[in-house]
């Protein structure tokens, strides 16, 4: 029986919907971030349960909203709740003050508070408890992302032993960085409690194996076709690199809608013929937004002929707003935007249009369609789906993708994108110059290469290759 025929139990920190407290009471909103964008199209194809946090405290109104949502879908949403102290130590603390910066190579931003670890384990056990109740012996259990690396170990303690899999959406750091984590061995051993481990890129898989060699005794990695098998005293774990994709057809089809095209025209026409450079990001310090703005400032300063001929539209979706570092970043970005606009703006020309809110899909597609250039310059990123979404939305095979060489997607998109080092503001400014002057024929050749790769290695391909790896378990046991 192929894994596609099994029921799926998805476990992630956030459910695909988040509950917001409004004046009228709790209301459902789509959760932001690449994990949800990627997984959502897979839900239509199969039945299952999704276990995760709603972003709110428990209440009968919240439970009722979830039940109502679940009734309308093949996928039942099962909430996990945390008390304020757990939220602060597990989510804000261990997940976002330690793992997130460390795994993005930003160790100086880490706060290795020793009280966080116990809460990380407690909350991971809570997710496992909730999932164990929902899991039948035939199910595939699919845990997602760094918040929940110890859920496999907890599930085994609860007697759930079959088809335990984990996908790591963010980068996995090299041993030199990972070794700073006081709980490095415990985390690695917990990961080895899964049957299948998926990473975004070969670089992440290589780093993981290098960390195992350095910090875990008696764990041996060997090649098995295109994957690796790690033998450890308790079990055998399959380890692979599976670059996550998008639902290409959904983006391409959506972008060809005539209302989207009309809205894109409206955006372009409102900008007096300027070339549109677009940034779209969750508001996160890993996305390199201040560095990008500095590069744009460099362009305006040293290429004055571009003034009044280009505009940067920077769309940021609010994220993790109760974490002080994120609020500081927002203030920094807004100051930079207003300084650049103040310094270079003229009547009839605003150099940067700054949008700080979540856009619905048609509006997002209209911006992708309107943009001559996408500027995707994270300092480090597990994958970065925005780069893929932009290309998929280019229905006329024009446009230029400028992409950070430190995004996971650069491994797949290096042949069509202009790759840049996001810390090198001059080089990014020069890449914008090159993009502005790129002849249509070269744009077409590049974007077609990008689209072909993104179309082929789409989200369904990702699922099938990950599960195909899982199916190898039966062959080797
Ligand atoms: P991450 O997972 O770190 O957030 P990704 O680039 O992989 O980064 O995914 C971000 C997702 O969020 C994409 O699917 C993108 O379309 C979506 N997104 C980003 N900004 C906005 C916005 N302002 N409005 C709506 N969606 C957004
Ligand atoms: O992989 C990126 C990611 O951390 C996802 O796990 C998460 O859903 C998304 O970013 C948004 O972050 P948060 O859930 O902390 O709002």
């Amino acid at each position: 029986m192929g894994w596609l025929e099994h029921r799926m139990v998805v476990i992630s920190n956030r459910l695909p919907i988040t509950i917001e407290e409004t004046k009228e009471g709790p209301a459902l909103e789509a959760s932001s971030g690449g994990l949800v964008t990627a997984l959502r199209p897979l839900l239509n194809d199969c039945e299952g349960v999704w276990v995760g946090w709603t972003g709110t405290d428990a209440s009968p109104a919240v439970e009722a909203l979830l039940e109502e949502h679940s009734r309308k879908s093949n996928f039942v949403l099962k909430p996990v709740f945390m008390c304020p102290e757990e939220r602060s130590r597990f989510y804000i603390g261990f997940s976002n003050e330690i793992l997130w910066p460390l795994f993005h190579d930003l160790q100086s931003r880490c706060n290795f508070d020793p009280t966080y670890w116990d809460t990380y384990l407690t909350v991971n056990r809570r997710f496992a408890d909730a999932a164990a109740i929902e899991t039948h012996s035939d199910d595939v259990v699919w845990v997602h992302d760094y918040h929940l690396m110890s859920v496999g170990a907890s599930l085994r303690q609860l007697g759930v032993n079959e088809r335990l899999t984990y996908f790591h959406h963010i980068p996995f750091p090299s041993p030199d960085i990972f070794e700073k984590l006081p709980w490095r061995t415990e985390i690695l051993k917990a990961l080895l409690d899964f049957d299948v481990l998926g990473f975004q890129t070969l670089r992440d898989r290589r780093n993981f194996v290098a960390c195992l060699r350095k910090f875990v005794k008696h764990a041996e990695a060997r090649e098995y076709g295109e994957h690796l098998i790690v033998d450890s005293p308790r079990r055998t774990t399959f380890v692979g690199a599976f670059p996550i994709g998008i639902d290409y057809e959904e983006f391409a089809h959506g972008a060809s809608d005539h209302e989207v095209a009309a809205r894109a025209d409206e955006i372009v026409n409102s900008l007096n013929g300027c070339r549109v450079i677009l940034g779209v990001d969750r508001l996160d310090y890993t996305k390199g937004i201040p560095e990008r703005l500095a590069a744009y400032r460099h362009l305006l300063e040293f290429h004055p002929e571009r003034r009044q001929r280009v505009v940067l539209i920077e769309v940021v979706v609010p994220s993790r707003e109760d974490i002080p570092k994120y609020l500081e970043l927002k203030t920094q970005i807004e100051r930079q935007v207003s300084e650049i606009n103040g310094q270079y703006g003229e009547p009839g020309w605003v150099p940067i249009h700054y949008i700080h809110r979540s856009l619905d899909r048609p509006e997002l597609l209209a911006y992708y369609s309107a943009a001559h250039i996408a500027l995707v310059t994270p300092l480090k990123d597990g994958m970065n789906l925005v780069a893929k979404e932009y290309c998929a939305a280019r229905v006329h095979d024009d446009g230029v993708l400028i992409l950070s060489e430190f995004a996971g997607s650069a491994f797949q998109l290096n042949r069509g994108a202009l790759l840049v080092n996001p810390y090198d503001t001059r080089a990014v400014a020069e890449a914008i110059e090159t993009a502005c002057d790129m002849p249509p024929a070269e744009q077409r050749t590049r974007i077609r290469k990008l689209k072909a790769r993104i179309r082929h290695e789409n989200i369904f391909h990702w699922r099938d290759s990950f599960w195909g790896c899982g199916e190898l378990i039966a062959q080797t046991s």
Side-chain angles (χ1 to χ4, degrees), residues 7 16 28 91 121 150 157 177 223 276-277 315 317 346 373 389 395 448 471:
R7 204 180 70 124
L28 294 182
Y91 172 66
L121 293 179
S150 144
Q157 283 159 14
I177 298 210
E223 283 183 19
V276 178
I277 306 166
V315 186
V317 62
E346 302 274 354
I373 299 166
E389 294 169 3
V395 291
R448 282 185 179 165
E471 285 165 9

Side-chain angles (χ1 to χ4, degrees), residues 240-474:
F242 310 99
I244 202 164
I246 58 167
D247 186 344
Y248 177 91
E249 297 304 337
E250 192 185 308
F251 278 89
H253 193 252
S256 18
D257 181 85
H258 70 273
E259 280 179 23
V260 167
R263 174 71 184 128
D265 286 345
E266 200 176 276
I267 295 168
V268 172
N269 293 337
S270 71
L271 297 169
N272 301 326
C274 285
R275 291 211 153 245
V276 178
I277 306 166
L278 178 70
V280 175
D281 307 88
R282 220 169 22 80
L283 204 162
D284 195 292
Y285 51 80
T286 59
K287 302 293 181 185
I289 303 169
E291 292 77 3
R292 186 182 309 163
L293 295 174
Y296 185 62
R297 178 198 281 267
H298 187 95
L299 177 88
L300 299 181
E301 183 59 33
F302 293 98
H303 293 280
E305 69 285 1
R306 292 288 173 204
R307 295 180 200 163
Q308 312 211 41
R309 300 227 153 78
V310 292
V311 290
L312 172 63
I313 302 182
E314 180 58 55
V315 186
V316 291
V317 62
S319 182
R320 304 180 191 164
E321 287 187 301
D322 40 8
I323 303 180
K325 288 251 174 358
Y326 285 75
L327 271 189
E328 284 163 28
L329 176 69
K330 178 169 181 275
T331 310
Q332 180 187 353
I333 292 170
E334 289 174 357
R335 198 179 49 235
Q336 265 179 296
V337 168
S338 81
E339 279 172 11
I340 295 171
N341 283 343
Q343 189 171 350
Y344 299 100
E346 302 274 354
W349 180 62
V350 180
I352 305 177
H353 293 246
Y354 172 69
I355 299 171
H356 177 254
R357 60 177 181 271
S358 182
L359 306 179
D360 63 20
R361 180 61 63 80
E363 186 74 355
L364 180 66
L365 288 170
Y367 278 97
Y368 285 149
S369 304
H372 302 97
I373 299 166
L375 200 46
V376 182
T377 54
L379 306 180
K380 183 106 181 181
D381 213 331
M383 177 52 54
N384 196 293
L385 296 183
V386 167
K388 297 184 173 183
E389 294 169 3
Y390 170 73
C391 298
R394 301 305 299 171
V395 291
H396 302 299
D397 288 351
D398 55 357
V400 183
L401 172 64
I402 300 178
L403 179 61
S404 163
E405 55 191 344
F406 308 131
S409 49
F411 290 87
Q412 290 166 294
L413 306 184
N414 55 354
R415 290 187 60 229
L418 297 180
L419 290 194
V420 290
N421 172 353
Y423 291 98
D424 188 345
T425 46
R426 259 194 241 169
V428 175
E430 288 314 314
I432 300 174
E433 266 293 290
T434 307
C436 284
D437 292 336
M438 190 180 284
E442 184 179 347
Q443 291 182 35
R444 196 162 44 245
T445 310
R446 285 174 176 270
I447 211 93
R448 282 185 179 165
K449 274 188 198 151
L450 292 166
K451 284 168 74 165
R453 188 94 196 247
I454 297 162
R455 184 191 299 119
H456 177 62
E457 293 174 6
N458 64 17
I459 190 63
F460 304 104
H461 177 273
W462 173 75
R463 175 198 61 195
D464 295 347
S465 46
F466 186 85
W467 289 7
C469 177
E471 285 165 9
L472 295 174
I473 298 170

Side-chain angles (χ1 to χ4, degrees), residues 212-232:
L212 280 184
R213 291 213 171 98
K214 197 156 176 195
F215 303 116
V216 182
K217 283 191 198 134
H218 314 301
E220 297 293 332
R222 60 192 158 96
E223 283 183 19
Y224 190 85
E226 57 183 324
H227 305 302
L228 297 177
I229 287 185
V230 176
D231 295 304
S232 57

